[in-house]
């Protein structure tokens, strides 16, 4: 099998079944593993010329990916091997120019939750009842897995941004297709998206921002009225603008940036 080696990290280019036992440590339902494994970039982690870990990463778009599986052999667990493997993957995709890497894990496994938090990932959203599609229940320390907790890790710092003032006047922009969210802009060219239709120039409430990976710039997320504190702006963006990848955060993300 041909391999391209980067330190202890090796890109797998041959048949992944040779390392199926390692992949099944990460996803023990073989049918679920088979659904995605062929559509991923697969990696190996070696220690002293011995393969001890395997991982699979799905390319979402040119700026983002999802870590679908990562595992190390039991004899090498609890020694920092998994963290070294994960950090090497993060570095490899950061060099490629990615902005974010996501990963999903079960909601009843404290060891896995701690692992991703320790390695710089932060909770992003939940995929409810994700594990109901598995052929058999999977038990972890806190009980059977039910929901998938999705974590996200920034691979490089986002640029500083000056938050628009509350007195800013936003002008609706002409669009060929009136789909949410609706584009608006201030007189000085600051771009934004209104979560509700805007028919005339007016002040709007700043509720968050979206960093456009392709344009390398922030755009304000706005609404005529304040939103509920638990509004999931990232979920709204994924629903409305799936073809336009962005990093979406609520307004309180910028408290120290004014």
């Amino acid at each position: 099998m041909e391999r391209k080696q980067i330190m202890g990290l090796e890109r797998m280019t041959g048949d992944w079944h040779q390392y199926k036992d390692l992949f099944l440590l990460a996803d023990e339902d073989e049918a679920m593993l088979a659904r995605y494994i062929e559509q991923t970039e697969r990696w190996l982690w070696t220690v002293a010329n011995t393969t001890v870990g395997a991982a699979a990463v799905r390319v979402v778009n040119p700026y983002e990916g999802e870590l679908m599986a990562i595992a190390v052999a039991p004899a090498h667990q609890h020694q920092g091997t998994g963290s070294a493997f994960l950090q090497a993957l993060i570095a490899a995709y950061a060099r490629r120019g990615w902005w974010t890497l996501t990963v999903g894990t079960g909601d009843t496994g404290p060891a896995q939750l701690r692992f991703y938090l320790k390695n710089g990932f932060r909770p992003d959203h939940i995929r409810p009842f994700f594990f109901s599609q598995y052929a058999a229940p999977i038990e972890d320390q806190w009980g059977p897995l039910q929901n998938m907790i999705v974590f996200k890790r920034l691979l490089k710092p986002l640029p500083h941004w000056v938050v628009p003032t509350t007195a800013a006047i936003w002008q609706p922009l002409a669009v060929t297709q009136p789909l949410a969210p609706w584009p608006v802009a201030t007189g000085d060219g600051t771009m934004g998206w209104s979560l509700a239709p805007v028919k005339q120039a007016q002040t709007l409430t700043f509720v968050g921002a979206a960093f456009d990976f392709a344009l390398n710039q922030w755009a304000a997320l706005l609404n005529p009225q304040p939103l509920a504190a638990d509004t999931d702006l990232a979920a709204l963006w994924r629903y409305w603008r799936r073809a336009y990848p962005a990093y979406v955060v609520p307004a309180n993300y910028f408290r120290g940036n004014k």
Side-chain angles (χ1 to χ4, degrees):
M1 181 181 299
E2 181 183 353
R3 298 175 181 175
K4 299 176 182 178
Q5 186 160 357
I6 306 174
M7 298 168 47
L9 188 66
E10 302 181 12
R11 177 74 178 273
M12 188 194 306
T13 56
D15 186 359
W16 65 272
H17 288 87
Q18 182 178 350
Y19 302 99
K20 185 173 73 172
D21 289 347
L22 282 172
F23 283 113
L24 287 174
L25 291 173
D27 194 337
E28 60 188 69
D29 188 315
E30 190 167 349
M32 290 295 295
L33 179 66
R35 286 189 191 182
Y36 62 78
I37 192 70
E38 296 288 354
Q39 286 74 51
T40 62
E41 296 182 351
R42 295 173 292 281
W43 299 85
L44 301 173
W45 185 250
T46 60
V47 174
N49 296 319
T50 300
T51 299
V52 300
V57 179
R58 180 175 69 91
V59 179
V60 176
N61 57 57
Y63 317 100
E64 302 176 285
E66 181 172 3
L67 178 61
M68 304 296 292
I70 184 170
V72 297
H76 292 266
Q77 294 177 5
H78 310 296
Q79 302 172 32
T81 304
S83 289
F85 188 9
L86 180 54
Q87 290 299 326
L89 284 170
I90 289 169
Y93 285 108
R95 288 192 295 270
R96 189 182 294 188
W98 283 14
W99 283 94
T100 68
L101 182 66
T102 59
V103 62
T105 191
D107 55 353
T108 62
Q112 292 88 340
L113 298 173
R114 284 195 300 268
F115 174 73
Y116 292 114
L117 288 168
K118 180 179 68 174
N119 280 284
F121 288 79
R122 293 297 177 263
D124 186 69
H125 64 280
I126 294 174
R127 294 173 184 163
F129 306 107
F130 179 87
F131 292 97
S132 63
Q133 61 190 310
Y134 277 60
I138 301 176
E139 291 280 339
D140 213 319
Q141 185 174 338
W142 291 341
L145 302 185
Q146 179 172 325
N147 306 309
M148 175 176 279
I149 311 298
V150 180
F151 291 85
K152 181 171 286 188
R153 160 76 190 258
L154 280 171
L155 304 190
K156 52 183 176 179
L158 295 171
H160 181 82
W161 186 53
V162 177
V163 177
T165 66
T166 56
I169 302 297
W170 297 89
Q171 177 71 41
L173 302 180
V175 293
T176 55
Q177 294 181 321
L179 300 175
W182 290 266
V184 293
T186 61
D188 64 3
T190 300
M191 291 298 300
W193 298 94
S194 176
L195 305 185
V198 176
K199 296 183 178 180
Q200 60 186 17
Q202 64 184 86
T203 60
L204 295 169
T205 300
F206 174 65
V207 296
F211 181 79
D212 188 311
F213 297 126
L215 297 179
N216 196 35
Q217 67 181 28
W218 288 101
L221 295 178
L222 307 138
N223 202 55
Q225 298 85 28
L227 295 179
D230 60 351
T231 300
D232 190 339
L233 291 173
L236 289 175
W237 186 273
R238 287 192 298 271
Y239 178 74
W240 283 331
R241 315 257 327 154
R242 184 175 296 275
Y244 299 88
Y247 184 69
V248 179
V249 291
N252 59 15
Y253 179 93
F254 295 97
R255 283 178 177 168
N257 198 19
K258 294 183 180 180

